[in-house]
Amino acid sequence: MPSLYLVPTPIGNLSDMTYRAVQVLNDVDFILAEDTRTSGVLLKHYDISKPLSSFHTHNEHKILNSVLERLKNGETAALISDAGTPGISDPGYLLVRECLKNDVQIECLPGPTALIPALVKSGFPTDRFVFEGFLPHKKGRQKRLAAIANEDKTVILYESPHRLMKLLDEIISLMGPDRYISVSRELTKLYEETITGMAEEVKGHFESGTVKGEFVIIIAGHGFEK
Ligand code: SAM
């Protein structure tokens, strides 16, 4: 039986919680949460009351061993992040790696993540794709963008709202104004929208409105034709 469960949580719409996710959170001995306040709202919504510890990028190294000890001693835990699948641009990788090294069984439940609906909604090829997550803010950013420009597969990026326009400008200057892209905003939420077209057109859409919310950017592969 697994000792650590990675449990995906909704990226907006609370109803996207799976039945099994609720079951597992109710069954484990304790829950590790990226932000106990954020997760508290979700847990309350589902009437789940379990001991909650914080597990985030700033303390994961520090508490890793004590978590491992508890798991090795027979306790079970679930790791949840603020939204989506733990380990995907969120804490999780380090704990999974250490569990595997220590023969602690893990299980990752399938469930919400932002990249898949954005990819599927783009209408670009889904048979082969590359998830690049967040680009570095400064050092190495241009190099990564230059590699993406020549990538044949569909590329998926996460970006914060205040850097979206900068990213669109970079795509236009490095990949051309006619590169096809798709920007999905606020997936599963009230103001969800997906804008797909040439990079210049998509930029025009966001220039004329406010750039708020959460964004996934899909870049069609080099050589993609509509
Ligand atoms: N673990 C999450 C997952 O599985 O998708 C990703 C967490 S990462 C810290 C947060 C980023 O995911 C946001 O900046 C945005 O790029 C993307 N994201 C999360 N929720 C989203 C949503 N509802 N709509 C669009 N993008 C979203």
Side-chain angles (χ1 to χ4, degrees):
M1 194 192 140
S3 301
L4 175 73
Y5 290 87
L6 290 103
V7 178
T9 55
I11 56 166
N13 190 326
L14 286 186
S15 304
D16 287 334
M17 192 76 177
T18 69
Y19 183 67
R20 188 167 164 225
V22 175
Q23 270 183 332
V24 166
L25 292 176
N26 267 316
D27 285 351
V28 289
D29 295 315
F30 66 102
I31 298 173
L32 298 164
E34 190 183 5
D35 183 323
T36 50
R37 269 209 306 204
T38 306
S39 296
V41 176
L42 177 81
L43 298 176
K44 191 162 178 242
H45 182 84
Y46 283 98
D47 215 7
I48 298 164
S49 134
K50 283 281 156 176
L52 206 56
S53 307
S54 66
F55 186 88
H56 45 70
T57 39
H58 304 293
N59 75 351
E60 58 180 344
H61 284 93
K62 216 168 112 192
I63 66 164
L64 199 61
N65 282 337
S66 65
V67 172
L68 266 177
E69 275 317 301
R70 290 179 72 177
L71 299 177
K72 285 202 274 189
N73 286 334
E75 285 187 79
T76 57
L79 174 66
I80 56 178
S81 65
D82 288 353
T85 301
I88 301 297
S89 298
D90 268 339
Y93 162 71
L94 199 65
L95 185 57
V96 167
R97 196 183 63 178
E98 290 309 305
C99 283
L100 295 176
K101 270 191 204 163
N102 286 275
D103 290 326
V104 170
Q105 271 199 54
I106 60 155
E107 174 123 3
C108 179
L109 272 54
T113 188
L115 64 118
I116 297 298
L119 169 68
V120 174
K121 285 182 83 184
S122 73
F124 303 151
T126 54
D127 52 344
R128 296 170 78 215
F129 59 87
V130 181
F131 175 60
E132 285 278 342
F134 289 101
L135 291 175
H137 297 171
K138 290 196 176 97
K139 199 166 176 280
R141 187 177 175 93
Q142 292 308 310
K143 202 172 159 197
R144 289 267 288 274
L145 279 165
I148 292 169
N150 292 316
E151 177 58 66
D152 290 331
K153 304 180 197 84
T154 305
V155 174
I156 306 166
L157 292 175
Y158 283 170
E159 190 54 285
S160 67
H162 64 275
R163 251 183 245 104
L164 178 75
M165 297 314 287
K166 177 180 178 232
L167 176 65
L168 296 181
D169 283 336
E170 289 167 328
I171 291 172
I172 290 167
S173 74
L174 276 160
M175 309 180 200
D178 55 354
R179 184 74 168 246
Y180 275 94
I181 66 167
S182 177
V183 176
S184 276
R185 185 175 89 89
E186 296 288 79
L187 289 159
T188 78
K189 301 184 199 175
L190 189 60
Y191 296 107
E192 168 166 355
E193 62 175 351
T194 294
I195 310 299
T196 304
M198 290 182 189
E200 191 76 62
E201 297 165 350
V202 175
K203 184 188 164 194
H205 172 87
F206 288 105
E207 258 172 355
S208 59
T210 49
V211 184
K212 273 192 191 155
E214 297 194 279
F215 294 86
V216 182
I217 298 87
I218 312 287
I219 305 175
H222 178 67
F224 168 81
E225 280 173 36
K226 243 192 155 185

